[in-house]
Amino acid sequence: MPEARPPLFASDWLVGAPYDDVPMGVLKTGKESEVHLIARIGPERTSLIAEKRFKERRSRGFRNDYRYAGVWGAGGRREARAIRNRTRFGQQAIQARWIDHEWTTLTRLYEAGVTVPPPVEQVADGYRMAFVGDGDRAAPRLTEIDLDRETARLVWREVQLEIRRMLEADVVHGDLSAFNVLWWRGRAVLIDFSQAVDAVTHPAARELLVRDVERAASYFVRMGVAIDVRAALAVVGDSPARFASQLLSS
Ligand SMILES: Nc1ncnc2c1ncn2[C@@H]1O[C@H](COP(=O)(O)OP(=O)(O)OP(=O)(O)O)[C@@H](O)[C@H]1O
Ligand SMILES: [Mg+2]
């Protein structure tokens, strides 16, 4: 398998102490989160940071969907009871779990060499990562742009390799589509790991992997790339052996 392309950000992209963090406003307001822009200003230079803050949503954590079992799985009995009884403590517990889950996933993928925004730190209701954009203009999502066919073919190849790298780190994105891929300096940057699952232990991992590949492929098909989803699944490393335990238990 080809080596990962050079990292998106130099290892020293983030200014060190002493610095001032200056809020620069809201970049995007989504259904479940708000992404804020923050300028970290040091004596000599400034780094731009994106802070994803999760909204408190009564319904979100309570989706009674087996595909979220990975998020539901951890935690003690008191927490489990509170969540089940939908108490305030339960709300907070599940909120914290979601944020922690996304942060941990981002960090793991970054370390595995997947093209994601470098993680910075956790904050009270979310986490911080490198801002992907030029000046204070955020990079567009793939959905917002049309790639020419030749570029689309190359980028589709890259995206398949990114999915493969994720799988090698035992992660399935779970919500992959052109909405969650930023286009920046000729690179596809994967974001939004709120629905990621563990590829080894999660019962729906293979189903989610197939859905990720299909949804991601559909953008590139629109851009004129001829795609055989079965071949793509082979490229990303899907195989009966990898998911054998899941097949047995289904
Ligand atoms: N690191 C980043 N740099 C620049 N822009 C970002 C970054 N992270 C997120 N964004 C922008 O914020 C949007 C929302 O982020 P994300 O997809 O993680 O959250 P979400 O809760 O799924 O939001 P939505 O409901 O809009 O899908 C992204 O589509 C992207 O435009
Ligand atoms: Mg999203």
Side-chain angles (χ1 to χ4, degrees):
M1 162 180 180
E3 277 302 293
R5 295 170 70 190
L8 270 191
F9 287 81
S11 55
D12 64 348
W13 74 272
L14 185 62
V15 299
Y19 58 76
D20 275 321
D21 282 343
V22 179
M24 307 284 285
V26 177
L27 277 171
K28 291 274 156 75
T29 305
K31 295 178 298 295
E32 305 190 331
S33 70
E34 251 174 24
V35 180
H36 293 248
L37 181 63
I38 290 166
R40 178 163 289 188
I41 303 174
E44 265 138 42
R45 62 198 179 97
T46 296
S47 311
L48 290 181
I49 293 173
E51 180 175 301
K52 185 169 177 180
R53 283 188 210 160
F54 294 79
K55 296 178 182 172
E56 223 181 293
R57 281 263 323 236
R58 298 209 160 263
S59 55
R60 175 166 44 138
F62 296 116
R63 269 190 280 203
N64 191 17
D65 183 326
Y66 72 100
R67 282 180 298 219
Y68 296 91
V71 182
W72 282 85
R77 292 190 55 197
R78 175 169 172 249
E79 200 178 279
R81 202 177 315 117
I83 290 168
R84 195 174 53 239
N85 296 335
R86 306 181 178 212
T87 66
R88 175 97 196 128
F89 172 71
Q91 289 280 347
Q92 286 162 353
I94 210 152
Q95 176 87 354
R97 257 192 227 181
W98 272 91
I99 297 172
D100 205 62
H101 173 71
E102 184 159 343
W103 165 256
T104 308
T105 306
L106 173 66
T107 305
R108 185 152 136 201
L109 293 178
Y110 178 71
E111 281 161 8
V114 181
T115 306
V116 298
V120 174
E121 64 206 6
Q122 287 187 282
V123 292
D125 51 0
Y127 66 90
R128 291 173 167 178
M129 64 193 134
F131 169 74
V132 179
D134 292 300
D136 60 1
R137 268 186 58 166
R141 301 180 287 195
L142 277 186
T143 42
E144 297 167 73
I145 53 154
D146 285 343
L147 297 177
D148 65 77
R149 195 197 317 191
E150 198 41 49
T151 309
R153 201 177 281 134
L154 294 170
V155 177
W156 169 237
R157 179 82 193 154
E158 285 300 325
V159 168
Q160 289 172 90
L161 296 177
E162 298 290 355
I163 297 172
R164 185 182 176 116
R165 276 178 209 115
M166 284 197 277
L167 202 51
E168 281 166 0
D170 295 332
V171 174
V172 173
H173 186 288
D175 191 24
L176 193 64
S177 75
F179 283 97
N180 284 328
V181 179
L182 303 180
W183 176 245
W184 192 57
R185 300 185 178 172
R187 301 281 294 271
V189 185
L190 276 48
I191 59 164
D192 195 357
F193 305 98
S194 55
Q195 296 178 55
V197 300
D198 188 297
V200 177
T201 58
H202 199 282
R206 191 175 196 186
E207 182 188 329
L208 290 168
L209 176 71
V210 172
R211 193 179 76 174
D212 279 356
V213 169
E214 285 171 349
R215 284 188 180 169
S218 71
Y219 168 82
F220 294 95
V221 168
R222 274 205 308 287
M223 298 303 120
V225 182
I227 296 176
D228 171 2
V229 170
R230 285 182 54 153
L233 282 166
V235 172
V236 304
D238 174 44
S239 77
R242 185 186 287 277
F243 294 102
S245 59
Q246 295 179 29
L247 291 179
L248 287 175
S249 62
S250 66

